[in-house]
Amino acid sequence: MLNKFQKLKKNIYLDYAAATPLDSKVQKAMKPFLSEAFGNPSSLHSKGREAKQAIAKARKKISLSINSKPSEIVFTSGGTESVNLAIFGVAGSIKENKKFHFITSTVEHDCVIKSFEVLAGEGHKTSFVKTDKYGMVDFNKLKKTITPQTVFISIMYANNEIGTIQPLAEIGKWLKLENQKRAAEKLPKIIFHTDACQAPGFLDLDVHKLGVDLMSVNGGKIYGPKQTGFLYIKEGLCIRPQIYGGGQERGIRSGTENVPGIVGLASALEFACINRKNESTRLCLLRDYFISKVKKYDGHILLNGPDETSSKVKGITRLPNNINLTVNGIEGETLVLYLDACGIQASTGSACESGTGNPSKVLIAIGKSASQANSSIRFSMGKSTNKNDLNKVIKIFFYLIKNLKNINTLL
Ligand SMILES: *Cc1c(COP(=O)(O)O)cnc(C)c1O
C-alpha cells in the first residue's frame, strides 16, 4: 500500500516536542569549551578562570531571559533533574519531622508524577488536581485542594502531549494573596513550582509575572544540547541539595560543571526569546491550517487539547507547535511506524510513555478511553516546518488512515 507514496525525498521531522537539533549558532558558541577552553571552573589558574567566566556569562544571560537574578539560577543535567531538585529539595528542607501536603495536576510529565509517588511513599500527602477536557487545570478545584498542611504546588507551564497552556500567572497571583493570609495565621508558605520545559520557544518566562518560586527548564527542547537545564530558585528559598560533593552551584548541585552545555543552554535560551514572537505566529497559522484540514476530513479524527479555531476556547491556550489527534480505530503506534516508513517522524505522545504499551496518562486524565488514547498521534512542529511539507504530511496521513481503516475492516 505504500507504493503510491514512495519514501519522501526529504525527511519531514515532526517530533520537536521530544527533541530538537542543535542550532548551528549554539554549536558555535559551545565549540571552544569542548576543546581549547577545557578548564575546570574551580581551578585558580587562567584556564579555570576562563571557564568560570563563561559560566558567569551564561548565568547572566539566562537571568535576563527570565527576569531573575543570576544567583537564582542553578544549572542541572536537564528537565528531569531540575524537577526532582525542586520537589525533593523542598520536601527535604522541611525541618520539623512532620509530613506535609503536596499538590500537582493529573497532566504533568512523568518526572513530576513519579516524584510525587515517591513523596507519597515517604508518608507525605499528595493531591493530583483534575483538569477539564482540554487539559486545563481546574482552578476552583485547585483552590479547594489546599489545606493548612499544603507546602508545595507544581503545575506545568505547557503540556508536552496536548499543548495545553496553564494559567500560571493567575495561579501565581492567587497564591501570593493566599500566602499573605497564611502568614497571618502562622501556616506554612505554599511554594509554587512550574515545569516549563515545553515553554521557552513560545511563552514568556518572566518569573515575576508568573509568580513562581521555582521553575524548571531544559536545553534539549530548545535547539540546545541534551542533558542541560536549570532550576530557577527564588532568593531566600531553602532547597536541600540532591547531589553532594565539591559544593559547585552554591552547594545546591555539586559536580564539575558542564561548561559547554551551560554555554549552549544559555545561547539556546537567548535565541528562543529572540525568535519567540515570530515563530509563535508562524506556527500557530500552520497548526490551525492542519487542524482545519483534519476537521474537513471525515475520518472520525478528533483533536486532543484546546482548539483555538473554535469559539468555545477563548484566548491563547495551546502551544503553537502542537497537534495531537485521535484517529478512531487505528493504533497510534501503527500510524507512527507507517509515517516513518514514508519519511515522516511523529510520536504517540510522550516519548517516555511510548514503548510501554500503556495508554497516555494525559489522555486518560482528560477523559479519553484507553482505546482512544492508544489511537492518538502527536505532530510537533519546529524551525524547519513549512506549509509545503505540511501539505505532503496531510496527504500521506489521510491516505494511510483510509487504507489502514480498510485493512482493519478486512481483518
Ligand atoms: C522533556 C520534558 C521533561 C524532561 O526533560 P529532560 O531534559 O528530558 O530530563 C520534563 N517536563 C516536560 C514538560 C518535558 O517536555
Side-chain angles (χ1 to χ4, degrees), residues 265-277:
L265 170 67
S267 170
L269 188 62
E270 186 179 30
F271 290 124
C273 294
I274 293 171
N275 299 328
R276 185 179 289 152
K277 203 158 168 262

Side-chain angles (χ1 to χ4, degrees), residues 355-392:
T356 62
N358 296 330
S360 146
K361 288 193 204 74
V362 171
L363 292 174
I364 298 294
I366 63 168
K368 303 289 165 185
S369 67
S371 93
Q372 280 176 319
N374 278 330
S375 306
S376 297
I377 183 161
R378 177 188 73 186
F379 297 98
S380 50
M381 305 182 288
K383 270 203 291 213
S384 77
T385 314
N386 59 47
K387 193 159 178 177
N388 193 19
D389 283 355
L390 221 49
N391 276 325
K392 287 185 198 158

Side-chain angles (χ1 to χ4, degrees), residues 112-331:
V112 174
I113 303 274
K114 295 272 161 68
S115 297
F116 265 63
E117 287 170 5
V118 173
L119 283 180
E122 287 171 354
H124 292 290
K125 199 170 160 9
T126 56
S127 299
F128 297 84
V129 177
K130 289 206 170 81
T131 71
D132 67 10
K133 62 179 177 183
Y134 301 113
M136 193 77 83
V137 168
D138 188 323
F139 198 7
N140 284 324
K141 278 205 185 108
L142 175 63
K143 285 177 181 169
K144 282 187 200 135
T145 307
I146 63 164
T147 71
Q149 283 76 44
T150 307
V151 288
F152 188 83
I153 295 179
S154 190
I155 303 288
M156 73 198 319
Y157 199 170
N159 188 274
N160 47 306
E161 290 188 45
I162 55 173
T164 314
I165 299 165
Q166 304 295 348
L168 287 193
E170 217 181 306
I171 298 170
K173 211 180 277 172
W174 158 73
L175 259 183
K176 200 173 169 184
L177 293 175
E178 201 54 43
N179 275 328
Q180 282 167 6
K181 281 191 242 161
R182 292 171 75 92
E185 293 168 36
K186 302 227 168 355
L187 291 174
K189 180 184 182 304
I190 300 174
I191 294 160
F192 187 22
H193 167 253
T194 189
D195 169 1
C197 290
Q198 291 290 334
F202 309 106
L203 305 170
D204 189 355
L205 295 182
D206 185 321
V207 289
H208 294 284
K209 279 192 203 152
L210 296 175
V212 293
D213 303 298
L214 297 161
M215 179 167 75
S216 297
V217 172
N218 61 0
K221 308 266 171 79
I222 54 169
Y223 308 95
K226 290 180 186 65
Q227 285 276 308
T228 65
F230 69 86
L231 178 66
Y232 156 75
I233 306 175
K234 192 178 182 160
E235 194 166 58
L237 202 65
C238 190
I239 287 286
R240 188 179 195 260
Q242 301 302 302
I243 297 175
Y244 295 90
Q248 290 89 345
E249 296 299 289
R250 296 190 287 120
I252 296 173
R253 206 284 190 179
S254 283
T256 303
E257 299 88 338
N258 174 4
V259 185
I262 288 169
V263 169
L265 170 67
S267 170
L269 188 62
E270 186 179 30
F271 290 124
C273 294
I274 293 171
N275 299 328
R276 185 179 289 152
K277 203 158 168 262
N278 286 341
E279 211 33 18
S280 294
T281 310
R282 190 180 78 83
L283 291 180
C284 274
L285 286 172
L286 290 180
R287 177 197 66 190
D288 294 341
Y289 172 71
F290 196 146
I291 292 171
S292 72
K293 289 278 180 193
V294 164
K295 280 180 167 175
K296 274 191 218 130
Y297 181 85
D298 94 65
H300 308 293
I301 313 176
L302 300 169
L303 178 70
N304 298 313
D307 178 3
E308 288 180 20
T309 65
S310 154
S311 56
K312 278 185 228 116
V313 175
K314 284 181 233 90
I316 297 165
T317 53
R318 187 183 191 107
L319 283 176
N321 71 333
N322 175 288
I323 299 150
N324 189 310
L325 306 165
T326 290
V327 185
N328 280 325
I330 306 177
E331 293 257 314

